[in-house]
Amino acid sequence: MKRSIWLGVAALLLAGSVKAQGLAGIWQGVETDPDEPGATWPSVLRVQNGKGTGLFGVMYQEATERPDATVTFQVRATQTPGGMRLEHVRKLNETGATPFTYWCEGIIVFTYDPKLEKLTGRADYDPVGNCDKGTYTLYRIKLKSAPTVLAGTETTLRVSGRNVRWYADADLKQPVNSGNEYRTKLSKATTFYLTQGYYPTREGAVVPITIQVKGAVAKAEPKQAPAPPPADTARSVPAPIVSAKPVALPTVLFKLGTPELLPEAIPALDQLAAELRERPALRLQVAGHTDRIGEPQKNLTLSEQRAAAVKEYLVKAGIAPDRISTVGYGDTYPLYPAPDARNRRVEVSEAK
């Protein structure tokens, strides 16, 4: 606050308790100051499990009146009965600094509204310059309808968030819907990529939501039928095409800070295993990548572990281990300005 105190792009808190786990995710919104009418600091917050009941992560913020002024803080927090109490630990990155500007640091107490998936924060800053108070309003995207639907049956998908936009691809080039409800008909497991337009930032987060499908469509579509509309295929997992050039698998995602595969990774890995079975001479290289959050050496180790986790899955699927090599690049090759979940990825290519 006060020139830049962005809450957001953080790999923040998650505690071992149910309450802490309930706050995991990506929160996006704004900070305001009652003493500076009209001034806003767009913010995004990411939360993740920590050890015990402690919470940890980062905050990113922009100054609306100065687009070049941004900051990223490492933060830690503790859960409270109604939300969490967060404090700044240290500044990780800052842009647009001048001798006359600064970012406020201190304590922020958040209240959680589970119905709206909303965090309302009251900041009590250290007395530096005109730092004193601040107010935060953050929302997160969370699936509010059933995670599994019947194949071929029209259903309404519901999510929380403000000014939500739905896309069929991780690159956000195929918009399919806007708003908190999406009426659609699915024939197979489908991953949508959602964003919030509520005080967007250059570090805006993309939230993947996978809808599982059970049952079979009454009548299978002929193979030569025209491609169904985006609402029906909205980037379920595309079959990976392994070639000499690395191909990113956008739905092969991991739990933040760990090599644990998320459920939405399974369809893509199953299709990759099927391709390897169909091409018995193909040798595969799996490359792991991380986001630029944390220590580079730890990120390198984590990227190697993630590549190994993919190999382990493929081996369990019946692929010979000597056909798969792995490598980790850490945070050296981000695709997007950090922090961004899309940098935590796996790429596959033909092994040389």
Side-chain angles (χ1 to χ4, degrees):
M1 179 192 116
K2 295 287 193 314
R3 169 103 275 163
S4 93
I5 241 208
W6 191 109
L7 245 190
V9 179
L12 233 239
L13 8 144
L14 235 171
S17 75
V18 173
K19 288 184 178 178
Q21 290 178 349
L23 295 178
I26 302 169
W27 301 84
Q28 180 172 315
V30 65
E31 181 194 6
T32 58
D33 184 347
D35 296 328
E36 298 185 41
T40 58
W41 292 267
S43 308
V44 177
L45 171 66
R46 300 176 186 264
V47 296
Q48 166 90 14
N49 279 319
K51 294 182 179 179
T53 59
L55 310 173
F56 71 95
V58 295
M59 285 168 128
Y60 167 88
Q61 192 165 25
E62 296 176 1
T64 300
E65 77 280 6
R66 273 197 55 200
D68 65 317
T70 71
V71 71
T72 301
F73 281 103
Q74 177 185 352
V75 298
R76 62 189 172 205
T78 54
Q79 66 186 61
T80 64
M84 64 184 175
R85 182 180 184 275
L86 180 147
E87 62 180 310
H88 297 86
V89 176
R90 64 188 177 97
K91 191 184 299 180
L92 298 175
N93 186 54
E94 180 179 5
T95 64
T98 76
F100 311 104
T101 61
Y102 47 87
W103 292 94
C104 303
E105 302 180 41
I107 303 296
I108 307 169
V109 177
F110 285 102
T111 300
Y112 171 50
D113 182 336
K115 182 177 180 180
L116 297 177
E117 295 300 336
K118 176 182 179 182
L119 286 177
T120 302
R122 298 289 182 268
D124 185 6
Y125 291 119
D126 299 334
V128 176
N130 66 337
C131 290
D132 47 16
K133 305 291 182 182
T135 300
Y136 288 86
T137 304
L138 305 174
Y139 294 86
R140 71 171 167 181
I141 293 173
K142 185 176 180 180
L143 183 64
K144 290 293 188 177
S145 56
T148 301
V149 301
L150 291 174
T153 301
E154 192 170 45
T155 186
T156 299
L157 307 178
R158 296 183 179 87
V159 298
S160 59
R162 290 286 298 273
N163 303 336
V164 178
R165 296 170 185 138
W166 304 60
Y167 295 86
D169 65 312
D171 294 327
L172 309 183
K173 294 180 179 179
Q174 302 177 46
V176 295
N177 189 52
S178 62
N180 294 88
E181 295 188 355
Y182 182 20
R183 190 75 175 167
T184 187
K185 187 185 296 183
L186 303 177
S187 61
K188 51 190 171 183
T190 301
T191 298
F192 297 98
Y193 300 85
L194 280 59
T195 66
Q196 294 192 79
Y198 182 66
Y199 289 96
T201 72
R202 71 191 67 179
E203 301 290 351
V206 178
V207 180
I209 289 182
T210 298
I211 307 299
Q212 301 297 333
V213 173
K214 65 180 180 180
V217 179
K219 185 178 181 181
E221 297 178 4
K223 292 185 178 180
Q224 285 144 5
D232 189 40
T233 59
R235 190 93 173 230
S236 71
V237 184
I241 302 175
V242 181
S243 64
K245 183 179 180 181
V247 175
L249 304 180
T251 59
V252 176
L253 303 174
F254 300 85
K255 185 176 179 181
L256 189 60
T258 77
E260 180 182 340
L261 286 162
L262 295 179
E264 50 261 48
I266 304 309
L269 294 180
D270 287 345
Q271 292 188 22
L272 179 59
E275 181 172 356
L276 287 166
R277 285 191 288 269
E278 293 172 0
R279 300 169 62 186
L282 175 64
R283 302 178 69 84
L284 185 74
Q285 176 171 281
V286 181
H289 299 265
T290 70
D291 203 4
R292 284 184 173 172
I293 296 177
E295 301 175 20
Q297 186 56 45
K298 290 183 178 180
N299 284 340
L300 179 61
T301 300
L302 180 58
S303 68
E304 294 168 345
Q305 292 172 338
R306 286 175 171 169
V310 171
K311 177 177 179 177
E312 180 181 0
Y313 185 92
L314 295 173
V315 170
K316 288 181 178 179
I319 307 303
D322 59 1
R323 293 179 60 193
I324 308 168
S325 61
T326 62
V327 63
Y329 292 108
D331 57 18
T332 55
Y333 297 107
L335 295 179
Y336 305 90
D340 192 306
R342 291 172 291 179
N343 291 327
R344 303 194 298 270
R345 70 192 189 279
V346 163
E347 295 178 345
V348 295
S349 61
E350 293 181 6
K352 298 179 180 179

